Amino acid sequence: MSIVEEIKELKKQRNAVILAHYYVADEVQAIADYIGDSYYLAKVAKGLQEDTIVFAGVNFMGESAKILNPGKTVLMPDITADCPMAHMATAERIAQVRAQYEDVAVVCYVNSVASLKEHSDVIVTSANAMKIVKALPNKNIFFIPDENLGRYIASEVPEKNFIFNDGYCPIHKAISAKQVLDAKAKHKGALVLVHPESIPEVVELADYVGSTSGIIDFATASDATEFIIVTERGVLYELRCKNPDKKFYSVSDSQICADMKKVTLEKIRDCMKDNTGVIEVEDELRKKALIPLERMLELAK
Ligand code: 13P
Ligand code: SF4
């Protein structure tokens, strides 16, 4: 039996479903039941019928799925696949900012551990942050953990006062404006599509700024035929599947999230076979973290 057949068989036995983020390896995206950006995957995770969710992504994604589905088994094929940015804020700093500002909302990017979510007022993803921040009644916004996404949203919502936190995605931070300019010089006329985790100097060069799904949808709907993709290279798989006649270029070889790439077909098979990588969230923490997650799903509708 091939590994793909083994996975199909185990899925049947366990009544399991596989969710995958666009940054995981191509062969993993190819066998997933649902592929998407963080917002899409959170929405999907909430309405699933299956007993077991296998999350092909990084830990905060599986943790969010568990928070939304306490009665289901959530499995991570590699429990060490973690997003460094998810840890780049502290409850102490949140408490400080709350004490300093009267009318403040703590807006927490979904790329965060549950112990940060529990102290936040609302969760956002790159696909819905703008809409949610605009809808909040608060004048002051403490945006955690990603400074770059926070600065991008702030530039689009000038009526609010933002307080930033110094978290970042190492993969997006490593992409420089020079690399993007070099790619533009090499591929004249290609449109530049940028994820907002990128540094402001790179965002400034964009023809379009958006989440991974936003980038894929934009390129698919566009009449243009060549695009420079400024995010993790995993999105190239879906871009090329949907647009076989268009050309997509990356700007550097370092556009790879090593944690996302830890997920392999073998590990997907093994976690279902051996029931490993089980995500547990302690009940008190789960209930507190659920509040801002559900608020996101409501406000983003
Ligand atoms: P989105 O897929 O929501 O754009 O997020 C990017 C990301 O870094 C996920 O880890
Ligand atoms: Fe985290 Fe960046 Fe990897 Fe996304 S690409 S999981 S933000 S390290």
Side-chain angles (χ1 to χ4, degrees):
M1 218 194 283
S2 75
I3 184 139
V4 174
E5 285 164 351
E6 277 186 86
I7 289 172
K8 277 190 189 151
E9 191 49 45
L10 281 158
K11 264 185 12 180
K12 257 191 249 155
Q13 282 172 22
R14 295 210 44 159
N15 190 21
V17 59
I18 301 176
L19 270 53
H21 189 267
Y22 285 128
Y23 292 165
V24 297
D26 297 1
E27 63 276 16
V28 174
Q29 294 189 48
I31 57 108
D33 297 296
Y34 299 92
I35 329 170
D37 69 0
S38 310
Y39 176 46
Y40 172 78
L41 293 173
K43 272 192 303 184
V44 165
K46 180 125 168 98
L48 292 169
Q49 299 303 312
E50 290 81 356
D51 303 321
T52 298
I53 300 171
V54 177
F55 218 118
V58 287
N59 270 350
F60 75 80
M61 297 178 170
E63 198 176 53
S64 297
K66 182 68 184 176
I67 291 167
L68 291 164
N69 295 282
K72 293 190 195 292
T73 302
V74 178
L75 302 177
M76 296 301 294
D78 187 327
I79 200 86
T80 72
D82 198 8
C83 169
M85 190 215 283
H87 305 267
M88 290 185 190
T90 64
E92 291 71 30
R93 179 72 186 129
I94 295 174
Q96 259 177 16
V97 171
R98 284 200 191 279
Q100 204 178 336
Y101 294 85
E102 237 173 47
D103 179 25
V104 64
V106 178
V107 176
C108 182
Y109 191 24
V110 72
N111 294 38
S112 51
V113 287
S115 55
L116 287 173
K117 287 188 175 83
E118 70 163 326
H119 298 292
S120 304
D121 295 305
V122 65
I123 305 304
V124 296
T125 75
S126 51
N128 59 34
M130 192 101 71
K131 184 173 179 182
I132 290 176
V133 167
K134 280 185 180 165
L136 291 172
N138 315 73
K139 170 79 182 156
N140 298 309
I141 305 292
F142 181 35
F143 198 98
I144 60 167
D146 188 10
E147 177 169 1
N148 289 322
L149 177 61
R151 288 200 182 274
Y152 171 64
I153 302 299
S155 71
E156 299 288 315
V157 191
E159 64 274 22
K160 306 250 176 190
N161 175 47
F162 279 72
I163 304 118
F164 300 108
N165 172 76
D166 58 4
Y168 58 89
C169 162
I171 313 331
H172 288 86
K173 194 183 178 186
I175 302 171
S176 68
K178 178 173 181 323
Q179 285 171 325
V180 179
L181 288 169
D182 287 350
K184 270 169 78 92
K186 199 165 157 195
H187 308 291
K188 293 210 165 43
L191 295 182
V192 179
L193 315 187
V194 174
H195 195 282
E197 286 175 15
S198 306
I199 60 173
E201 297 84 336
V202 165
V203 171
E204 262 173 41
L205 299 170
D207 293 297
Y208 171 80
V209 182
S211 74
T212 51
S213 292
I215 287 174
I216 293 163
D217 293 347
F218 180 91
T220 305
S222 173
D223 291 335
T225 55
E226 297 194 36
F227 304 88
I228 295 164
I229 303 301
V230 187
T231 188
E232 213 273 355
R233 294 164 72 115
V235 298
L236 294 171
Y237 174 75
E238 183 75 0
L239 279 167
R240 288 177 177 143
C241 285
K242 285 200 161 141
N243 303 281
D245 299 328
K246 295 183 180 177
K247 290 199 172 114
F248 300 100
Y249 310 108
S250 39
V251 294
S252 93
D253 292 339
S254 66
Q255 286 170 251
I256 294 176
C257 176
D259 280 276
M260 288 282 189
K261 303 304 191 237
K262 286 181 178 173
V263 183
T264 62
L265 292 179
E266 287 75 13
K267 289 178 191 173
I268 289 177
R269 175 197 60 200
D270 293 347
C271 77
M272 283 193 281
K273 200 162 72 181
D274 307 330
N275 203 45
T276 49
V278 180
I279 294 279
E280 299 290 0
V281 183
E282 184 266 315
D283 208 44
E284 199 61 24
L285 172 61
R286 189 193 73 76
K287 283 185 189 144
K288 286 187 187 155
L290 179 64
I291 298 168
L293 256 176
E294 287 200 316
R295 198 169 177 209
M296 168 183 83
L297 294 172
E298 193 51 43
L299 287 174
K301 263 185 196 160

